[in-house]
Amino acid sequence: MTALLEVAGLVKHFPMRGGAVRAVDGVSFTLDRGETLSLVGESGCGKSTVGRCVLRLLRPTAGQVTLAGQRIDTLPERRLRPLRRHMQVVFQDPFSSLDPRQRVVDAIGEPLRNFGLASGAALRARVAGLLDQVGLPAAAMDRLPHEFSGGQRQRIGIARALAPGPDLLICDEAVSALDVSVKAQIVNLLMGLQARLGLALLFISHDLAIVEHLTHRVAVMYLGRIVETADRAALFAAPRHPYTRALLSAVPVPDPLAARNRTVLRGDVPSPRSPPPGCRFHTRCPAAFDRCRTEEPVPRQVGPGHIAACHLEA
Ligand code: SF4
């Protein structure tokens, strides 16, 4: 089966005086229809930049992005436009992603109108159907965003993203700003929609507890690179990269008496303007040894569909 989304050697550098911020520095992954891949890592690791490059909100510096067999990273905007309906995004902040003066029918109906998919009474009927899909009543369409709670606003954001009938939904920290109980409801909504609509979900998040609940596969990013990729079960039960182990050891457990070997990472994430030589993680890795400081580890297969970039796996 051909993947719906293929990202190969993606690079995004932001030039600045005296150098460049190397936000994404050679990222590759695939995503199938109906699959969820979570891109995880600390803030500043480049995961949101990857999402923005896939959506072509940013133009990649190098590499390839292929959607349903068509390369989109180099397409001129005019030819990209009709393809945009196939990939939609839900952002973190439902407060700022909705225009406060725009009624819900106009917010959700905008992409329907823009892509020439519906107008007039048909558009209102489509919006009512989309509201129903996200668990809101049809009467919500004539109200303004401030009349809704944060969770309801995120439901409106999801309905808007679903409006043009995408194949790929990118959720960029889409539940991070929500309260715990609301977060769970939105995650369940996303999982239900994915199962029903066969969506591919690229779920960008720093929250591994949420990721474990909803994902099929995980790609862990550190300083612009993917350091480990695996199925959910393998990654959470037997992580191979020291950075993944450290991230997992920091996830809160429901039972405070449960034993856990916590790995506390030393120091801050180095600047993406000048990533450390050798393994980029060596300045914080509890297992680092001499070779790590000079030689960059090559990603290797360490199990079925499980890849890690660490000299300890060589
Ligand atoms: Fe740690 Fe070395 Fe492995 Fe990098 S290559 S993760 S520094 S042990």
Side-chain angles (χ1 to χ4, degrees), residues 1-265:
M1 182 169 71
T2 314
L4 174 70
L5 174 69
E6 286 184 61
V7 172
L10 184 71
V11 173
K12 180 62 189 175
H13 291 177
F14 296 97
M16 3 185 354
R17 205 173 336 157
V21 172
R22 296 157 68 170
V24 177
D25 224 2
V27 158
S28 302
F29 61 87
T30 60
L31 177 60
D32 289 337
R33 288 178 192 275
E35 185 189 34
T36 299
L37 173 70
S38 294
L39 215 46
V40 304
E42 292 162 290
S43 134
C45 69
K47 55 192 189 302
S48 288
T49 306
V50 170
R52 283 171 161 76
C53 286
V54 169
L55 290 160
R56 269 284 298 275
L57 300 176
L58 291 171
R59 205 177 249 276
T61 306
Q64 297 188 4
V65 179
T66 307
L67 184 74
Q70 179 156 17
R71 226 181 125 176
I72 58 170
D73 54 283
T74 47
L75 272 189
E77 183 56 39
R78 171 181 50 83
R79 290 185 51 210
L80 181 67
R81 226 186 145 265
L83 299 179
R84 286 195 179 280
R85 65 171 282 210
H86 299 293
M87 48 179 188
Q88 293 290 306
V89 62
V90 180
F91 287 115
Q92 172 175 358
D93 186 358
F95 298 87
S96 64
S97 55
L98 293 170
D99 181 340
R101 294 153 307 175
Q102 202 174 34
R103 287 179 311 148
V104 168
V105 65
D106 297 318
I108 299 176
E110 194 170 46
L112 291 172
R113 223 175 284 121
N114 288 349
F115 289 110
L117 299 170
S119 60
L123 183 139
R124 284 184 72 85
R126 289 281 287 274
V127 171
L130 287 157
L131 285 169
D132 184 53
Q133 277 193 321
V134 299
L136 291 173
M141 77 170 86
D142 292 313
R143 290 158 60 188
L144 289 166
H146 76 261
E147 298 177 60
F148 297 90
S149 68
Q152 288 171 327
R153 267 188 277 229
Q154 198 56 304
R155 286 175 191 269
I156 295 167
I158 293 168
R160 181 182 157 98
L162 293 180
D167 303 303
L168 168 65
L169 193 61
I170 298 186
C171 296
D172 189 356
E173 299 283 10
V175 298
S176 302
L178 303 172
D179 292 342
V180 176
S181 61
V182 180
K183 203 179 270 197
Q185 290 166 13
I186 299 294
V187 164
N188 288 336
L189 172 68
L190 286 169
M191 291 172 74
L193 288 168
Q194 181 191 41
R196 212 168 332 129
L197 305 174
L199 290 169
L201 226 71
L202 182 61
F203 194 81
I204 297 169
S205 177
H206 68 279
D207 187 338
L208 282 155
I210 292 284
V211 162
E212 184 174 15
H213 188 65
L214 64 63
T215 205
H216 297 118
R217 283 190 301 130
V218 186
V220 181
M221 279 190 75
Y222 186 78
L223 263 187
R225 295 254 167 95
I226 291 177
V227 296
E228 184 163 11
T229 310
D231 287 348
R232 172 183 55 185
L235 190 110
F236 283 90
R240 302 291 281 266
H241 196 282
Y243 179 58
T244 312
R245 286 195 199 120
L247 285 183
L248 287 177
S249 81
V251 176
V253 285
D255 177 1
L257 299 177
R260 166 163 285 182
N261 292 326
R262 247 198 109 157
T263 309
V264 179
L265 288 176

Side-chain angles (χ1 to χ4, degrees), residues 241-243 279-282 285-289 292 295 297 309-312:
H241 196 282
Y243 179 58
C279 174
R280 291 176 177 214
F281 185 52
H282 86 252
C285 180
F289 55 107
C292 308
E295 193 184 323
C310 172
H311 290 312
L312 295 174

